[in-house]
Amino acid sequence: MSTRNQPATIRSLASLRTRVRAFRQEGDRIAFVPTMGALHEGHLSLIRLAKRRAERVVVSIFVNPTQFAPGEDFEAYPRDLKADRKLLAGLGVDIIYTPNRDHMYHDDHSTTVRVGGVGDNLETDHRPTFFHGVALVVAKLLNRVQPDHAVFGEKDYQQLAVIRRLVRDLDMPVEIVGAKIARDSHGLALSSRNQYFDEAGLATARALNGVMFAARDRLQDNESVEATLEWAARSLIDAGFAAVDYVSLADAESLAPITRGPIDAPARLLIAAHCPAPDRLVRLIDNCAVDPT
Ligand code: PAF
């Protein structure tokens, strides 16, 4: 049973469905926050937003294998359910749903979910199967929880666009809510992977948002799009990043690339770059709005 301060931790789909049905019978709305655990203040801000939307909040914790490519950090991805449960206590979460891999995927699982359009460029140029895994697991989780609202962070801006498109195209009866990016006091976007950094890595990582916002200001001052994006990529390397996957300007809704000004509709500046940590390179992503000029 959940108590006021301690959510119920549930592994099986059957008990999830029983509890969700009971909430519905009480007339309660349900807001859902899917996560991969290693929770931090960014996740907590999603949960607070969820609490404002519905009487009941379900948080899932599942490190989804299908969204990791071979060679990525699936095995090393931080997992600490005890710490996560502690963080969630007192936030008014009703259920922590933590299926394991066998609960989530049949051995002969054979369905794929591919979201084109907004899912086709940027991340997909570097992680070609990433959104297939995300769309698949999010579709499954939404079918399992059947929430009224589901909250996702804008830090994964393209992921949010992919999920909005998935839900629209498959007529899923859920409102997708985007939550603003939570940042540390140096502006670094909060991420579970930030815990890989030592002090030096953290200092480099923190340069990213400074470069990004400076590039945004240049774009809003009508400087050349091409020159600004090149300047930002060079500045990241100068700041200590090992490689830059992309610095791109895109239409905020369609994510179609914008390669020259004037910027005549809301746009988004999106960055992915690899930052050195003691035993690996950590791929960071960040983004911000760019107003029409
Ligand atoms: O953003 C994440 O943490 C994951 O991609 C998600 C949405 C929980 C799916 O595994």
Side-chain angles (χ1 to χ4, degrees):
M1 279 295 288
S2 63
T3 65
R4 216 176 118 84
N5 287 320
Q6 195 59 39
T9 303
I10 290 181
R11 285 191 183 278
S12 89
L13 178 54
S15 37
L16 175 73
R17 289 209 158 128
T18 305
R19 280 172 195 261
V20 167
R21 203 175 308 121
F23 295 159
R24 293 242 174 259
Q25 277 162 1
E26 286 165 28
D28 289 347
R29 288 163 302 175
I30 294 159
F32 175 44
V33 183
T35 81
M36 298 207 301
L39 302 180
H40 49 67
E41 186 51 42
H43 296 108
L44 304 193
S45 69
L46 306 186
I47 291 163
R48 287 188 200 106
L49 189 52
K51 276 296 292 176
R52 295 206 290 275
R53 296 276 168 150
E55 290 76 25
R56 301 290 185 171
V57 173
V58 178
V59 174
S60 66
I61 296 180
F62 178 63
V63 184
N64 173 38
T66 64
Q67 70 192 73
F68 289 79
E72 291 187 349
D73 59 345
F74 173 69
E75 298 302 339
Y77 196 85
R79 292 165 173 85
D80 189 347
L81 183 58
K82 211 166 147 199
D84 289 344
R85 280 171 52 83
K86 214 161 155 190
L87 267 183
L88 292 178
L91 288 185
V93 172
D94 294 276
I95 294 177
I96 303 174
Y97 177 49
T98 63
N100 65 27
R101 189 187 189 128
D102 297 339
H103 293 135
M104 189 55 85
Y105 294 111
H106 295 280
D107 284 346
D108 61 349
H109 178 96
S110 17
T111 300
T112 50
V113 182
R114 195 187 91 73
V115 180
V118 291
D120 274 342
N121 57 0
L122 297 163
E123 285 297 287
T124 299
D125 293 339
H126 301 273
R127 306 177 76 193
T129 58
F130 172 63
F131 286 131
H132 303 183
V134 170
L136 174 64
V137 82
V138 170
K140 285 172 71 69
L141 287 166
L142 291 176
N143 280 336
R144 287 177 176 214
V145 178
Q146 304 204 340
D148 301 282
H149 314 278
V151 186
F152 295 83
E154 282 186 352
K155 183 171 87 69
D156 298 279
Y157 191 81
Q158 193 182 10
Q159 169 175 281
L160 178 59
V162 163
I163 290 163
R164 286 191 196 285
R165 187 62 57 90
L166 167 84
V167 159
R168 187 202 72 178
D169 288 353
L170 298 186
D171 310 310
M172 300 172 98
V174 55
E175 183 209 15
I176 300 300
V177 181
K180 290 209 174 327
I181 300 176
R183 300 181 179 278
D184 75 5
S185 57
H186 301 261
L188 174 64
L190 300 185
S191 161
S192 304
R193 291 186 171 102
N194 290 350
Q195 53 181 278
Y196 291 137
F197 291 125
D198 59 2
E199 275 307 308
L202 209 50
T204 304
R206 283 174 168 155
L208 192 150
N209 74 92
V211 170
M212 181 179 74
F213 288 120
R216 176 204 56 192
D217 293 348
R218 287 176 181 225
L219 290 167
Q220 289 185 173
D221 286 345
N222 267 317
E223 289 192 30
S224 143
V225 172
E226 196 185 358
T228 301
L229 300 182
E230 274 173 25
W231 169 83
R234 237 184 3 259
S235 302
L236 291 173
I237 298 296
D238 292 346
F241 279 79
V244 176
D245 279 353
Y246 57 80
V247 178
S248 292
L249 186 67
D251 180 89
E253 214 166 291
S254 69
L255 292 186
I258 299 171
T259 51
R260 60 170 68 170
I263 301 168
D264 49 19
R268 208 80 191 179
L269 178 61
L270 302 111
I271 298 183
H274 298 261
C275 183
D279 59 348
R280 69 189 71 225
L281 289 177
V282 179
R283 189 171 184 278
L284 295 180
I285 59 173
D286 202 349
N287 67 83
C288 65
V290 180
D291 296 332
T293 50

